Amino acid sequence: MKAVIFLGPPGAGKGTQAKKLSEEKGLQHISTGDMLRAAVSEGSELGEKVAGIMERGELVSDDLMIEIIKERTAKPDCERGYILDGFPRTVPQAEAIKKLLSDVKSEIVYFSLAEEEIKNRLETRRKEENRADDELQTQLERLKVYQEKTAPLIDYYRKSGDLIEVSAEGSVEEVYQRLESALAS
Ligand code: AMP
């Protein structure tokens, strides 16, 4: 059992890399963004609760997200291990996952990307994909929220000596090569 946690700004390619790593290593890919988007399109109670928050680019509450992650990681398809893509996003979420993973071998990967490149990639995504939370205003808000609430996690993990930094510049293949050689196995 092993857990890999992906951190990084929107546009860094966490989802793409998580999908690839999941296929190669047989780890379950858990994307909180995908889970929430699925809930919104199903029109479930959870979906109704989070739709507006997501459209504005804000964060869903820590309590709700922690509950969702606890439930999801307890499922049998996570027994071999999993990749967390999009969680944690705040210090309280990081504290919660630390408790949950106290007996589990875990690796924390930070995908770093220069601000200008983040903006370029988000612009490309806006043109190519039709994601309700990828309108310009939403993207800008998400970037701001990332800087305020999620970026502090980089120092949080760096201080505990746990952070693996991988440059997210370049092609999907190049980034994946770096990721694979940075991970223990
Ligand atoms: P993502 O696809 O990971 O960028 O997530 C899309 C949106 O879902 C975010 O902008 C948030 O509104 C919400 N979301 C996803 N993961 C979390 C989380 N761990 N904590 C709070 N909100 C989240």
Side-chain angles (χ1 to χ4, degrees), residues 155-171:
D155 263 354
Y156 170 96
Y157 286 120
R158 209 176 255 146
K159 274 188 196 131
S160 57
D162 278 339
L163 200 70
I164 301 170
E165 189 161 339
V166 170
S167 164
E169 305 277 344
S171 69

Side-chain angles (χ1 to χ4, degrees), residues 32-33 36-37 54 58 60 65 86-87 89 93 133 142:
T32 45
L36 297 174
R37 277 185 289 278
M54 291 176 77
E58 294 165 5
V60 173
M65 290 313 301
F87 187 99
R89 257 179 157 94
Q93 291 182 17
D133 63 352
R142 291 171 81 217

Side-chain angles (χ1 to χ4, degrees), residues 161-181:
D162 278 339
L163 200 70
I164 301 170
E165 189 161 339
V166 170
S167 164
E169 305 277 344
S171 69
V172 170
E173 259 326 305
E174 282 167 341
V175 178
Y176 188 75
Q177 291 305 322
R178 279 179 217 132
L179 170 66
E180 222 192 358
S181 43

Side-chain angles (χ1 to χ4, degrees), residues 63-132:
D63 286 350
L64 184 54
M65 290 313 301
I66 291 166
E67 197 187 311
I68 289 173
I69 275 298
K70 276 191 181 156
E71 234 173 71
R72 182 64 191 88
T73 54
K75 295 209 165 141
D77 62 0
C78 288
E79 257 166 31
R80 280 194 62 188
Y82 50 84
I83 304 161
L84 289 182
D85 161 21
F87 187 99
R89 257 179 157 94
T90 64
V91 172
Q93 291 182 17
E95 297 285 354
I97 199 70
K98 193 160 137 193
K99 269 195 212 142
L100 201 70
L101 294 175
S102 59
D103 295 329
V104 178
K105 198 172 146 262
S106 47
E107 292 182 285
I108 298 134
V109 179
Y110 164 47
F111 291 97
S112 59
L113 195 64
E115 179 141 356
E116 201 176 305
E117 183 59 16
I118 297 174
K119 292 195 168 145
N120 287 341
R121 289 197 192 177
L122 290 178
E123 191 183 344
T124 309
R125 187 149 97 186
R126 216 164 47 239
K127 287 179 183 152
E128 288 175 356
E129 290 178 26
N130 195 11
R131 255 173 63 169

